[in-house]
Amino acid sequence: MVGLWGYGQYDQYTHPYRKHQVQRLPAEPPTGQILTIERHLALTPRPADSYPFPIPLGEVGPKAPLYAGAPQYPFFCMTLFSGLGQPLVDNQAGEGVAVYREENGEISDEVIGYSRDCLLPTRLHYYYGSQDGEIRPLPVMEPGAPWPDDVAMIAGASGRIPEIYRVESGTINRYPYYIVMLATPDQPREYAPHWDRRLIYQLHGGSGIGFRQGRLSATKVITKLRDPLREGAAVITSTANKTSYTYNILLAEDTARRVKKQFVSLYGAPRYTLGIGGSGGGLSQYLMMQNNSGLLDGALALYAYPDMVSQTLYGLDCDLLNTYYAFRSQDPKDWQDFNQRAELEGLNAVAGFDQRAPFLEPLNQLIRGRWPHWPQGSSECINGWFGLSALIHNPRQGYLRPMFSEAVQRQTHWSHWEDLHQIYGRDPAGFARTTWDNVGVQYGLEALKTGTLSVGEFLHLNQRIGGWVDPEAMEAERIWAPLGKILPLWLTLWGNHNVSDGWPAARTQGDPQAIERAYRSGLVFLGRNPLPVIDLRHYLDEQLDMHHLSASFEARARIDQWQGHHDNQLIWVSDHRYTPLDEAFEAMDIWLAAHQRGEERPRTLDDRCFGEDGQILAQGEGVWDGSWNGREEGACTRRFTSYSNARIQSGGPWAGSIFRCRRIPVDEAIAAGIYGDIDMKPRQAALASVFPDGVCDYRQGDEARPADLTLGAF
C-alpha cells in the first residue's frame, strides 16, 4: 500500500496519458459470472474452466473472468507502459482508448480504431543477462548466429549455458501476464530444458482502486527474481496480481489460476508453486492460502498485512486524527508533541523527523483562519498513510493522472469500494457500500489510562473527531495544478472537508451487508493458515514506513485464535541493511518438501531476527513475544521495537478486524473497568453526550461478523 505521496509531480498533458485517454464508456453494460458464496470462499468450489488452454501464439487469451464478475469499465489500457505495444482494436465506436497507425515503429497521429478491453496476442520475447549485470532484450538473429559478446554464461545442469530468458506475454482476463524461464530462441516453445520444476508466482504491492490494466516490464520481472531464475526456476505473474491496480482478491485469484493453467498446459505440473510478493503482494498470499485458491503451496509474504480491508480501519483514522490536531483541537500547538500523537495513533511518531511537505499544515490552517504552526516532527500516519481517504475512500476523487476524459470522470465513482461493488453491493443512492465504521470508538482510551490525555482532552477529542460523510456528500480534494502540473499542494489537507462536523461530530456507520460480504468473499484474513508461510520484512518502523512490524503480530494473533497454534507461520525480521531472501528460499524448499511428505515443519526452521550483516540475533519460540500476546518481551522484540495502531490504542484487540463493535452504555463501561484507574463517574453525563449510542465493548467481538464464521469453523 502507498499513500498519495507516490504520485509526485508530472505533466498531465504529456503523451501518452492524454493521447490514449479513455474518452467514452461502452454503450452496453457488461455481464459476467460471480461466485455464489453461501458460507465462505474457502468452502466454495470454483467452476471448471472451459477455455482451451494453452493460448496459441498469436492468439488472444480469455477476456472475461471465469467467476470474478463482469469486466470493469472504464478500463485504461497500459500495454504501452509495459513495453508491449498498442492494444488490439476491438471497436470503432470510440469506446476505450484510441489506437494509432504505426509507421516504421513510430506511433502516428492517425486513429485506426479503439480498444476498450486492451487485449494483446500471445508472443515470445527473449532477454539476456549481460556480463555487466544488466538485463537486455536479445536482438533478433539469424539461425546459427553467435550470441552477443556480452551474454553471461551460467552453470546449468548439463554444463555452462548462456543466460538467456524466454518470456511469454499476452493478456488473460484483460491483464498482461508473463511466463519467464531459461531458454533460447532456437528451442521450441513447449521445451523447458533447464526448468528445475520449481514455479514461483510473483505478486506485487501498492494501493489501487481498479479501472486500469496496470504495467509491468519483463526486465523488472527478471531482475527481481534473477537468482532463482538462473538456478532453473520458472516465474509467472500478471498485473492483476499487483495491488497498485486492484485489491479485488477474487479477480486476482481468478486471473492467477488461469495464468498458472497456461503454464501447466505448456510445461506440466511443478514440484511446487511458491508465492512471493511484498505489501499488497504479501497479504494476497495470506488470503489466497486461506481461501483454498489451489494456486500456492507456500508463501514468502514480504512486508505483509493480514488483509487490506481491516487495515483501512486505522488507516482512515489517520486523516481523522490529523484533521483534529490541525483544525479542531482546542490548541493545535499542543499536538506538536509527536510523542503524544503516538499514544493516540499507536503507529510510530518522531519529534524532529522531516515531513515531505511540512508547509501544507500551516498553509491550510491559515486558509481556515487558524493560527499556523509549523510541524515539529512527523509520524507514520503522515509519512506512510497520507491521503488514504482520497485514494481509496472518496468516490468523487477521480484519478490524479489524466487517464480518463472529464465526461468519464463524472460518470464514475472512484474508490476501492466501487472497484469491488460486485462484492460489496451498492446503496440506494447508487454508491458502493463500505465496511468502514467508527461508531463507539473511544480514540485515545489508552492515552487516557496512562495519563497522557486528561479527561477533558479525551472528551474533546472524541466529541470533535467525527467520521467520514456519506459517499454521496463527499467532494474531491482541492489540489493546486498551476500550468497543467499537479503539485503536492493539498488545499483540503487530510480530506478535512469530508469529515463530519458538529458537537458531537457524527461518526460513520459501516454497512452490515458490505461487511458480511467482505468476510464471506475472503477479503478478510480470519487466521486460517493451512500452508507454510514465512512472514519476512525489514524493520522500517524507525523510518516511519507504513510497513510496520506489528502487522506480522496482527496476522499471528488471528492465526493463533483460529487454529490454536502458528506452526505454519514463521516471522523473520531483519535490519534494513540486510535481506535474508536467499535463506528464505532455502528454508521454503526444505519446508515444502517436508509438507508434501505430510511431515511437520522441520524444527531447524523457526522464528528469528537478523542483524545488519546477516547474523541471526535470536531465534526460536518466544523471540517475538510482547504486548501483542500479553507476554514478556522476547529477544527479537527487544531488538526491534513494535508499535500498534489507533484501534488498539482505543482499546481494541491486537488481532484487529472488528468492523462494527458491539456497544454498551457508558455506565456499564465504567462499571466494567474499561477506563482503568480513571474515575469517570463525575464525567458520566459528558461521556454519554459524546457517545449517545454507547461505547465499544471489544470483549464481545465484531457485531457484523457472520455468526457461522466462528473460530476454527473450517
Side-chain angles (χ1 to χ4, degrees):
M1 300 175 73
V2 62
L4 287 181
W5 292 123
Y7 281 98
Q9 299 185 27
Y10 62 91
D11 185 341
Q12 62 176 327
Y13 297 100
T14 298
H15 167 84
Y17 286 129
R18 286 292 180 191
K19 188 169 184 176
H20 296 271
Q21 188 181 74
V22 175
Q23 296 291 334
R24 186 182 303 171
L25 292 172
E28 297 181 5
T31 58
Q33 176 184 355
I34 193 165
L35 281 179
T36 300
I37 301 170
E38 294 183 357
R39 287 193 62 200
H40 192 273
L41 180 58
L43 304 173
T44 306
R46 281 42 159 199
D49 198 337
S50 61
Y51 188 87
F53 289 99
I55 307 164
L57 291 176
E59 299 296 321
V60 175
K63 178 183 73 174
L66 176 61
Y67 54 81
Q72 182 184 65
Y73 299 101
F75 194 65
F76 181 69
C77 301
M78 299 182 73
T79 55
L80 274 171
F81 295 80
S82 295
L84 298 173
Q86 296 188 94
L88 297 175
V89 171
D90 55 33
N91 75 94
Q92 296 293 332
E95 297 173 357
V97 303
V99 180
Y100 297 84
R101 184 176 304 283
E102 296 189 29
E103 300 173 355
N104 301 319
E106 297 293 326
I107 298 175
S108 71
D109 291 326
E110 180 186 351
V111 176
I112 60 173
Y114 297 85
S115 180
R116 72 176 190 175
D117 289 313
C118 314
L119 304 181
L120 289 172
T122 299
R123 292 176 290 195
L124 298 181
H125 321 260
Y126 292 88
Y127 294 80
Y128 72 94
S130 68
Q131 295 172 11
D132 61 5
E134 297 295 317
I135 300 296
R136 298 192 173 102
L138 185 71
V140 176
M141 298 179 296
E142 295 294 328
W147 309 124
D149 293 339
D150 62 338
V151 170
M153 300 298 290
I154 59 176
S158 58
R160 303 285 288 174
I161 61 171
E163 187 185 355
I164 296 176
Y165 299 99
R166 177 201 295 142
V167 178
E168 178 181 313
S169 71
T171 50
I172 291 177
N173 293 356
R174 305 190 303 172
Y175 291 91
Y177 76 92
Y178 294 103
I179 295 174
V180 185
M181 60 171 56
L182 288 168
T184 53
D186 57 332
Q187 295 166 335
R189 177 196 189 193
E190 296 80 6
Y191 187 46
H194 309 296
W195 182 38
D196 64 7
R197 310 210 72 77
R198 289 182 299 157
L199 182 59
I200 298 173
Y201 204 110
Q202 172 72 66
L203 303 101
H204 308 264
S207 193
I209 59 169
F211 304 103
R212 55 178 173 162
Q213 185 181 39
R215 63 178 176 180
L216 183 63
S217 74
T219 300
K220 288 185 177 179
V221 174
I222 297 170
T223 300
K224 185 168 286 190
L225 291 170
R226 188 173 180 180
D227 286 346
L229 279 167
R230 286 163 62 104
E231 295 168 359
V235 173
I236 57 178
T237 191
S238 165
T239 59
N241 300 114
K242 192 170 184 178
T243 55
S244 287
Y245 308 121
T246 180
Y247 269 93
N248 188 333
I249 298 300
L250 195 61
L251 176 60
E253 178 197 295
D254 185 313
T255 309
R257 284 166 58 93
R258 283 180 147 179
V259 172
K260 183 175 178 180
K261 190 168 184 179
Q262 171 74 356
F263 179 90
V264 171
S265 68
L266 289 168
Y267 305 110
R271 177 159 52 98
Y272 62 69
T273 303
L274 176 63
I276 185 172
S279 191
L283 70 84
S284 297
Q285 295 174 78
Y286 271 121
L287 294 176
M288 286 181 177
M289 290 193 298
Q290 167 187 267
N291 297 340
N292 285 338
S293 68
L295 178 68
L296 304 177
D297 297 299
L300 292 178
L302 316 178
Y303 310 106
Y305 306 92
D307 61 67
M308 185 269 194
V309 189
S310 59
Q311 308 315 296
T312 64
L313 290 170
Y314 64 83
L316 288 171
D317 285 341
C318 280
D319 281 353
L320 291 183
L321 287 164
N322 279 312
T323 289
Y324 175 79
Y325 304 147
F327 309 119
R328 299 186 176 183
S329 61
Q330 293 168 307
D331 191 344
K333 74 174 186 300
D334 291 344
W335 293 102
Q336 293 306 318
D337 180 353
F338 276 78
N339 293 327
Q340 188 179 25
R341 292 194 185 195
E343 288 287 319
L344 270 68
E345 298 167 9
L347 306 168
N348 194 17
V350 180
F353 197 103
D354 290 337
Q355 290 189 23
R356 300 185 187 182
F359 59 87
L360 288 176
E361 185 167 322
L363 173 64
N364 276 264
Q365 288 171 327
L366 276 172
I367 291 172
R368 283 152 187 79
R370 298 204 86 181
W371 191 261
H373 294 88
W374 194 268
Q376 301 301 306
S378 193
S379 65
E380 185 187 322
C381 263
I382 296 172
N383 270 40
W385 297 83
F386 172 84
L388 193 70
S389 58
L391 182 62
I392 68 137
H393 189 61
N394 186 348
R396 306 289 194 190
Q397 189 62 51
Y399 265 82
L400 291 183
R401 292 186 174 99
M403 298 174 176
F404 307 95
S405 69
E406 291 184 7
V408 171
Q409 292 255 19
R410 289 192 299 269
Q411 295 176 68
T412 308
H413 298 160
W414 307 94
S415 69
H416 161 75
W417 319 107
E418 180 65 24
D419 186 23
L420 274 68
H421 78 269
Q422 294 182 84
I423 294 175
Y424 295 130
R426 287 198 176 110
D427 64 21
F431 288 83
R433 300 176 186 271
T434 72
T435 64
W436 197 85
D437 184 293
N438 73 338
V439 177
V441 175
Q442 300 190 85
Y443 292 100
L445 178 60
E446 295 303 313
L448 170 70
K449 291 160 68 173
T450 61
T452 302
L453 283 184
S454 70
V455 173
E457 290 170 329
F458 170 76
L459 290 171
H460 190 272
L461 166 67
N462 283 284
Q463 183 181 54
R464 298 289 289 129
I465 192 169
W468 298 103
V469 299
D470 292 339
E472 59 188 303
M474 296 193 91
E475 298 177 3
E477 296 274 2
R478 290 190 286 276
I479 307 174
W480 194 39
L483 303 177
K485 292 181 180 290
I486 289 182
L487 303 175
L489 188 55
W490 272 256
L491 303 181
T492 46
L493 191 60
W494 322 126
N496 66 85
H497 61 311
N498 289 319
V499 179
S500 60
D501 206 351
W503 299 79
R507 300 295 183 91
T508 301
Q509 294 191 6
D511 188 291
Q513 176 181 305
I515 298 170
E516 178 182 1
R517 290 183 175 182
Y519 273 117
R520 294 201 187 282
S521 299
L523 299 178
V524 180
F525 183 60
L526 300 170
R528 183 173 181 269
N529 175 213
L531 301 172
V533 55
I534 296 179
D535 188 309
L536 188 156
R537 69 182 67 239
H538 288 123
Y539 181 67
L540 301 173
D541 292 56
E542 292 175 342
Q543 302 174 31
L544 305 184
D545 189 281
M546 68 193 308
H547 300 102
H548 43 258
L549 172 57
S550 62
S552 294
F553 304 148
E554 186 180 350
R556 174 158 292 184
R558 297 188 198 183
I559 292 168
D560 283 340
Q561 284 184 355
W562 185 266
Q563 301 187 164
H565 63 82
H566 51 264
D567 292 348
N568 279 337
Q569 187 219 32
L570 296 179
I571 296 176
W572 286 13
V573 179
S574 175
D575 182 282
H576 68 90
R577 289 160 288 194
Y578 182 77
T579 305
L581 203 53
D582 290 342
E583 295 93 323
F585 272 113
E586 182 179 353
M588 288 303 299
D589 199 50
I590 296 169
W591 193 356
L592 288 172
H595 188 79
Q596 291 176 337
R597 294 193 299 266
E599 300 173 0
E600 295 181 352
R601 184 186 81 231
R603 294 299 99 184
T604 55
L605 303 180
D606 49 20
D607 288 341
R608 59 189 64 173
C609 51
F610 299 82
E612 62 182 273
D613 297 321
Q615 70 275 28
I616 298 176
L617 302 175
Q619 64 186 112
E621 190 67 27
V623 295
W624 290 115
D625 284 347
S627 58
W628 69 272
N629 64 356
R631 297 177 183 172
E632 184 178 347
E633 286 190 348
C636 288
T637 316
R638 290 193 297 272
R639 174 61 179 81
F640 297 112
T641 301
S642 175
Y643 298 87
S644 63
N645 61 57
R647 293 300 168 107
I648 295 171
Q649 296 304 110
S650 301
W654 272 86
S657 73
I658 293 183
F659 293 93
R660 284 174 63 109
C661 67
R662 298 182 186 274
R663 299 185 297 277
I664 57 176
V666 295
D667 59 335
E668 291 184 24
I670 292 171
I674 284 179
Y675 303 96
D677 296 331
I678 305 298
D679 183 8
M680 295 295 288
K681 287 184 179 179
R683 307 298 293 272
Q684 181 174 319
L687 190 61
S689 70
V690 175
F691 294 101
D693 299 317
V695 298
C696 290
D697 182 3
Y698 289 110
R699 300 170 300 178
Q700 300 185 58
D702 189 348
E703 180 181 67
R705 181 168 176 158
D708 58 319
L709 295 185
T710 55
L711 298 178
F714 54 87

